[in-house]
C-alpha cells in the first residue's frame, strides 16, 4: 500500500523526511485497522490507489477530525496523504492561499500581511500548554485560573465569546469565572458567561457597525468584503471599536490631546497622516499596540459614518501591499505601493468587496517557509503516537458503551447568537441509530436519560439511519438561557470534561464523549 501512495519523483524534488516517515508505516496491520473503522480493507486500498493516480486531489478537514481523539495526529496523517501523492501546488490540489491579514502576526500585535518571522515556543504559565498564534487551548482555561500558582490568570476580558457555554466542562468554567479577581464581558447578548462576569459592556450587533472577517481562504482569487452598518445602534450599546478606545484612553492615556498632531495631519489627507504617523510611532514605539485605537480616533472621523470602525484597515492595506506585492499586483493593485494600498482601501470602503490577491499555482511554494522551501514530511513529535496506534487496541468505556458527538451541525442549528428558543422549534433531539433504539426499546419522541462521566440530562430521541450503531449525537447551539422563553435543548458542555483533550495542543474531544442512555420509566 505504501508503494501505491508514494509519488517518488515529486517527493525527491519538493519534500524532506520521507526516509524517516516510511518505516513507521511499513509494519502497520492494515486489515486490523480496517476492522476497527469498519471499512473493508479492499476499499481502503482502492481508495489509496485512486488518490495516488488521480490528476488532482484536495482535502479539507473539519471538526469531526479536529475535535476528536488523536486530532493533531489525524491532521498530520491527512496531510501526509496528499503530500505523499504530490497533490500540492497544482490546480485542483491543496494550495496555500494569500491572507489579507496573517492571524499569527496579528496575535503578536503585528499587522503585517506576511513575510518570514522568527518563531519561539510559548507556553501557558500553569499547565505549560502550547500557545498557538497567541491562543491557549480552551480546555486548559479553567485550570489556568483555578490553580494555586503565582502566575495564574486572575482577570479576563471576554469579547464575543461564551466559554461558560461553549468550552468543555461548563461547571468547571463557572467555578473559574467565580475565582477571577476581575472579569468583563463585551457582547451583544446577556450570555451564560456574561451572567458570571463582574461587568458587562453591551456591544452593537453586526448589523449596526462596520464588520469583516479575516478568514479569507479562497484560491487562486481571494476576496475581502467590508460589511457596512445598516442600522443605528440600539440605545445603550456601542461598537467594540468605541468600547476599546474608551478603555485604552482611560488605562493607557491615549487621549485626544496627545493625538492632536495626528488629527491635524489627517485633515490634510491620508498621505500626510501616513508621514505624521510614521514620525509619531518612531518617537513613541510603545504606542504601536494601540494603533487600532489611534486610527479609529484619528482617521475614523474622516471616513463615512457607517464605515468608521474600518479605520484600522487602512494600515492593514499598506502592510499587505508591502508583504504580498506579487499577489496584489496580479489582482490589479500594482504600481507604486503607496498608491496601490490607497486604491485597495478605497475599494474596500466601497462596500462592494474586492479581489485582493490572485495566485498562480506555482506561487504556493513561495509560502512554504521551511529551509529550502520544501515540505517537511517528518514530525518526530508525532512518531511515538503512530507507533502506539499500530499495536494499541481501543480502550473499553466501562459503563459508557456509546460515543456521543457533543455538538453536531444540523440544518436546524446555528451559532449561539440566536438565543430565542421559538426560532428553532425542533432539531434539539438526541439522534440514535435504529440498532441502539431497538436495544434500548425506545422510539422517536421518547425521553431518555443521557449520562456521561461529567453529568446527566433528560432528552428526547430521534431515531435515524444516518447514525451508526454505538454513535449518538446532540446538536450545537442549544441549551441557551433566554428571557422570556426559558431554555430549549441541551447545553452539551454540561456533559463534557476539560480533561478530555488532545495531548499536543489541548483541543477538546467534543466528538468523542463516552456516554450511555437509559430508558425512563
Amino acid at each position: 500500500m505504501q508503494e501505491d501512495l508514494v509519488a517518488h519523483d515529486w517527493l525527491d524534488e519538493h519534500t524532506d523526511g520521507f526516509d524517516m516517515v516510511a518505516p513507521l508505516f511499513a509494519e502497520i496491520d492494515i486489515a486490523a485497522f480496517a476492522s476497527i473503522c469498519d471499512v473493508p480493507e479492499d476499499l481502503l486500498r482502492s481508495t489509496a490507489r485512486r488518490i495516488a493516480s488521480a490528476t488532482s486531489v484536495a482535502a479539507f478537514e473539519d471538526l469531526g477530525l479536529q475535535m476528536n481523539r488523536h486530532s493533531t495526529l489525524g491532521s498530520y496523517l491527512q496531510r501526509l496523504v496528499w503530500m505523499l501523492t504530490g497533490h500540492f501546488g497544482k490546480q485542483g490540489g491543496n494550495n496555500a492561499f494569500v491572507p489579507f491579514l496573517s492571524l499569527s502576526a496579528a496575535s503578536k500585535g503585528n499587522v503585517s500581511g506576511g513575510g518570514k518571522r522568527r518563531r519561539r515556543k510559548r507556553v501557558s504559565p500553569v499547565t505549560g500548554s502550547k500557545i498557538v498564534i497567541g491562543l491557549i487551548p480552551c480546555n486548559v482555561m479553567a485550570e489556568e485560573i483555578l490553580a494555586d500558582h503565582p502566575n495564574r490568570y486572575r482577570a479576563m476580558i471576554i469579547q464575543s465569546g461564551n466559554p461558560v457555554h461553549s468550552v468543555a466542562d461548563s461547571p468547571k468554567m463557572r467555578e473559574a469565572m467565580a475565582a477571577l479577581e476581575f472579569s468583563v464581558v463585551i457582547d451583544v447578548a446577556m450570555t451564560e458567561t456574561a451572567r458570571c462576569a463582574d461587568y458587562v459592556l453591551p456591544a452593537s450587533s453586526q448589523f449596526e457597525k462596520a464588520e469583516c472577517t479575516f478568514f479569507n481562504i479562497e484560491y487562486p482569487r481571494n476576496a475581502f468584503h467590508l460589511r457596512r452598518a445598516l442600522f443605528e445602534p440600539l440605545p445603550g450599546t456601542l461598537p467594540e471599536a468605541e468600547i476599546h478606545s474608551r478603555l485604552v484612553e482611560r488605562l493607557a492615556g491615549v487621549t485626544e490631546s496627545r493625538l492632536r498632531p495626528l488629527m491635524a495631519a489627517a485633515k490634510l489627507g491620508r498621505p500626510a497622516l501616513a508621514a505624521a504617523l510614521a514620525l509619531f510611532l518612531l518617537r513613541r514605539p510603545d504606542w504601536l499596540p494601540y494603533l487600532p485605537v489611534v486610527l479609529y480616533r484619528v482617521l475614523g472621523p474622516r471616513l463615512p459614518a457607517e464605515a468608521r470602525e474600518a479605520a484600522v484597515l487602512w494600515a492593514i492595506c499598506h502592510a499587505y501591499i508591502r508583504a504580498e506585492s506579487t499577489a496584489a499586483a496580479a489582482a490589479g493593485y500594482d504600481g507604486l505601493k503607496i498608491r496601490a494600498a490607497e486604491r485597495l482601501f478605497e475599494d474596500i470602503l466601497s462596500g462592494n468587496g474586492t479581489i485582493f490577491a490572485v495566485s498562480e499555482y506555482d506561487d504556493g511554494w513561495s509560502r512554504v517557509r521551511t529551509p529550502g522551501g520544501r515540505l517537511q514530511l517528518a514530525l518526530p513529535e508525532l512518531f511515538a503516537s503512530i507507533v502506539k496506534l499500530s499495536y494499541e487496541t481501543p480502550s473499553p468505556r466501562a459503563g459508557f458503551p456509546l460515543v456521543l458527538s457533543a455538538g453536531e451541525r444540523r440544518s436546524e442549528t446555528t451559532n449561539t447568537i440566536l438565543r430565542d428558543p421559538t426560532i428553532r422549534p425542533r432539531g434539539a433531539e438526541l439522534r440514535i441509530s435504529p440498532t441502539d433504539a431497538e436495544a434500548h426499546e425506545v422510539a422517536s419522541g421518547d425521553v431518555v436519560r443521557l449520562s456521561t462521566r461529567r453529568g446527566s440530562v433528560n432528552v428526547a430521541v430521534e431515531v435515524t439511519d444516518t447514525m451508526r450503531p454505538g454513535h449518538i449525537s446532540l446538536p450545537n447551539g442549544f441549551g441557551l438561557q433566554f428571557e422570556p422563553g426559558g431554555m430549549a435543548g441541551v447545553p452539551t458542555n454540561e456533559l463534557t470534561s476539560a480533561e478530555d483533550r488532545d495531548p499536543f495542543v489541548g483541543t477538546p474531544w467534543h466528538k468523542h464523549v463516552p456516554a450511555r442512555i437509559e430508558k425512563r420509566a
Side-chain angles (χ1 to χ4, degrees), residues 12 18 26 37 48 66 87 89 109 148-149 157-158 178 244 290 303 310 313 332 340 370 380 407 441 445 477 481 502:
D12 291 341
F18 176 69
C37 64
Q66 295 169 345
H87 294 298
D148 183 15
H149 189 284
I157 297 178
I158 302 167
H244 282 283
Y290 311 132
L303 301 179
L313 295 180
T370 54
E441 299 180 341
Q481 300 175 51
D502 182 76

Side-chain angles (χ1 to χ4, degrees), residues 66-87:
Q66 295 169 345
M67 291 188 174
N68 217 321
R69 296 175 70 243
H70 310 296
S71 59
T72 298
L73 176 60
S75 294
Y76 171 52
L77 296 177
Q78 179 262 117
R79 284 159 175 76
L80 282 182
V81 168
W82 51 263
M83 287 195 290
L84 286 169
T85 50
H87 294 298

Side-chain angles (χ1 to χ4, degrees), residues 230-281:
L230 299 177
F231 310 107
E232 289 295 320
L234 288 177
T237 69
L238 294 170
E240 287 90 343
E242 182 65 31
I243 292 173
H244 282 283
S245 294
R246 294 189 187 188
L247 290 174
V248 169
E249 286 164 358
R250 293 294 298 271
L251 297 174
V254 182
T255 59
E256 182 176 335
S257 61
R258 295 186 176 185
L259 296 177
R260 281 174 185 163
L262 295 178
M263 291 178 173
K267 292 180 180 180
L268 301 176
R270 292 199 293 267
L273 174 60
L277 184 61
L279 180 61
F280 182 86
L281 292 176

Side-chain angles (χ1 to χ4, degrees), residues 83 169 314 360 367 381 469 513:
M83 287 195 290
D169 210 328
W314 175 65
E360 299 293 336
R367 312 206 65 77
E381 191 175 9
V513 182

Side-chain angles (χ1 to χ4, degrees), residues 15-276:
T15 70
D16 287 327
F18 176 69
D19 56 333
M20 297 175 64
V21 172
L24 296 172
F25 298 96
E27 303 300 324
I28 286 180
D29 188 340
I30 298 173
F33 277 94
S35 176
I36 291 171
C37 64
D38 198 20
V39 176
E41 181 182 352
D42 60 346
L43 180 58
L44 287 178
R45 291 183 177 275
S46 63
T47 301
R49 294 187 181 102
R50 186 166 186 175
I51 291 172
S53 61
T55 303
S56 63
V57 169
F60 182 83
E61 67 182 50
D62 210 335
L63 301 183
L65 175 62
Q66 295 169 345
M67 291 188 174
N68 217 321
R69 296 175 70 243
H70 310 296
S71 59
T72 298
L73 176 60
S75 294
Y76 171 52
L77 296 177
Q78 179 262 117
R79 284 159 175 76
L80 282 182
V81 168
W82 51 263
M83 287 195 290
L84 286 169
T85 50
H87 294 298
F88 176 78
K90 61 190 296 187
Q91 186 171 1
N94 284 77
N95 291 280
F97 60 88
V98 178
F100 183 52
L101 172 69
S102 167
L103 296 180
S104 177
S107 72
K108 300 176 179 63
N110 184 344
V111 296
S112 174
K116 297 182 179 180
R117 299 173 184 87
R118 183 174 62 86
R119 301 180 182 217
R120 61 186 181 90
K121 292 183 178 180
R122 300 171 60 202
V123 297
S124 63
V126 175
T127 63
S129 301
K130 291 181 180 179
I131 296 177
V132 181
I133 62 167
L135 306 174
I136 69 164
C138 61
N139 264 33
V140 306
M141 194 185 312
E143 293 175 50
E144 296 286 340
I145 297 168
L146 293 171
D148 183 15
H149 189 284
N151 295 326
R152 66 185 182 276
Y153 295 158
R154 300 171 185 268
M156 289 183 69
I157 297 178
I158 302 167
Q159 178 173 304
S160 300
N162 191 6
V164 167
H165 179 273
S166 302
V167 171
D169 210 328
S170 291
K172 192 171 185 179
M173 196 63 224
R174 284 192 292 270
E175 181 185 356
M177 289 292 296
L180 288 169
E181 298 173 15
F182 179 78
S183 58
V184 178
V185 164
I186 304 171
D187 214 319
V188 300
M190 194 64 178
T191 65
E192 289 69 22
T193 305
R195 294 167 189 260
C196 298
D198 296 321
Y199 297 92
V200 179
L201 304 179
S204 309
S205 79
Q206 61 266 51
F207 301 109
E208 300 164 343
K209 63 198 173 199
E211 199 172 60
C212 63
T213 178
F214 292 107
F215 289 97
N216 317 93
I217 58 174
E218 297 167 311
Y219 191 91
R221 296 162 59 84
N222 209 346
F224 185 91
H225 180 217
L226 175 69
R227 301 181 295 278
R228 289 191 174 198
L230 299 177
F231 310 107
E232 289 295 320
L234 288 177
T237 69
L238 294 170
E240 287 90 343
E242 182 65 31
I243 292 173
H244 282 283
S245 294
R246 294 189 187 188
L247 290 174
V248 169
E249 286 164 358
R250 293 294 298 271
L251 297 174
V254 182
T255 59
E256 182 176 335
S257 61
R258 295 186 176 185
L259 296 177
R260 281 174 185 163
L262 295 178
M263 291 178 173
K267 292 180 180 180
L268 301 176
R270 292 199 293 267
L273 174 60

Side-chain angles (χ1 to χ4, degrees), residues 188-502:
V188 300
M190 194 64 178
T191 65
E192 289 69 22
T193 305
R195 294 167 189 260
C196 298
D198 296 321
Y199 297 92
V200 179
L201 304 179
S204 309
S205 79
Q206 61 266 51
F207 301 109
E208 300 164 343
K209 63 198 173 199
E211 199 172 60
C212 63
T213 178
F214 292 107
F215 289 97
N216 317 93
I217 58 174
E218 297 167 311
Y219 191 91
R221 296 162 59 84
N222 209 346
F224 185 91
H225 180 217
L226 175 69
R227 301 181 295 278
R228 289 191 174 198
L230 299 177
F231 310 107
E232 289 295 320
L234 288 177
T237 69
L238 294 170
E240 287 90 343
E242 182 65 31
I243 292 173
H244 282 283
S245 294
R246 294 189 187 188
L247 290 174
V248 169
E249 286 164 358
R250 293 294 298 271
L251 297 174
V254 182
T255 59
E256 182 176 335
S257 61
R258 295 186 176 185
L259 296 177
R260 281 174 185 163
L262 295 178
M263 291 178 173
K267 292 180 180 180
L268 301 176
R270 292 199 293 267
L273 174 60
L277 184 61
L279 180 61
F280 182 86
L281 292 176
L282 185 64
R283 294 172 176 172
R284 295 297 307 269
D286 56 311
W287 278 39
L288 184 59
Y290 311 132
L291 181 59
V293 169
V294 171
L295 291 176
Y296 176 69
R297 286 292 187 234
V298 171
L299 180 59
R302 320 299 302 178
L303 301 179
E306 66 274 16
R308 184 169 296 176
E309 296 84 11
V312 71
L313 295 180
W314 175 65
I316 294 174
C317 284
H318 282 269
Y320 166 74
I321 293 293
R322 289 196 303 271
E324 305 289 354
S325 56
T326 300
Y333 297 103
D334 51 2
L336 190 65
K337 291 183 178 180
I338 294 177
R339 293 179 180 173
E342 290 295 333
R343 292 203 313 274
L344 176 58
F345 184 57
E346 287 294 336
D347 287 347
I348 288 174
L349 287 180
S350 72
N352 297 321
T354 185
I355 301 296
F356 67 87
V358 175
S359 301
E360 299 293 336
Y361 291 100
D362 286 344
D363 292 341
W365 292 104
S366 67
R367 312 206 65 77
V368 179
R369 307 300 191 187
T370 54
R374 296 166 67 83
L375 296 172
Q376 302 300 306
L377 301 179
L379 294 182
E381 191 175 9
L382 294 172
F383 287 177
S385 298
I386 297 174
V387 173
K388 184 178 179 181
L389 277 180
S390 67
Y391 62 81
E392 181 184 61
T393 57
S395 58
R397 299 180 296 273
F400 300 97
L402 306 175
V403 171
L404 168 68
S405 286
E408 179 192 10
R409 290 174 178 164
R410 300 180 184 174
S411 59
E412 304 93 344
T413 63
T414 181
N415 60 31
T416 60
I417 199 169
L418 298 179
R419 307 181 68 83
D420 187 343
T422 63
I423 294 176
R424 295 174 289 173
R426 62 177 302 274
E429 297 83 7
L430 175 74
R431 286 182 173 170
I432 66 174
S433 71
T435 300
D436 291 325
E438 182 179 359
H440 291 84
E441 299 180 341
V442 296
S444 292
D446 289 347
V447 175
V448 300
R449 188 69 171 168
L450 168 64
S451 300
T452 69
R453 290 189 290 257
R454 194 66 178 98
S456 298
V457 296
N458 295 327
V459 60
V461 301
E462 175 191 349
V463 181
T464 169
D465 59 9
T466 62
M467 304 300 296
R468 292 182 59 78
H471 185 202
I472 58 179
S473 77
L474 283 171
N476 70 300
F478 281 88
L480 299 167
Q481 300 175 51
F482 183 79
E483 299 295 342
M487 181 174 70
V490 173
T492 56
N493 284 308
E494 299 290 337
L495 302 171
T496 57
S497 173
E499 286 75 26
D500 292 337
R501 62 190 185 229
D502 182 76

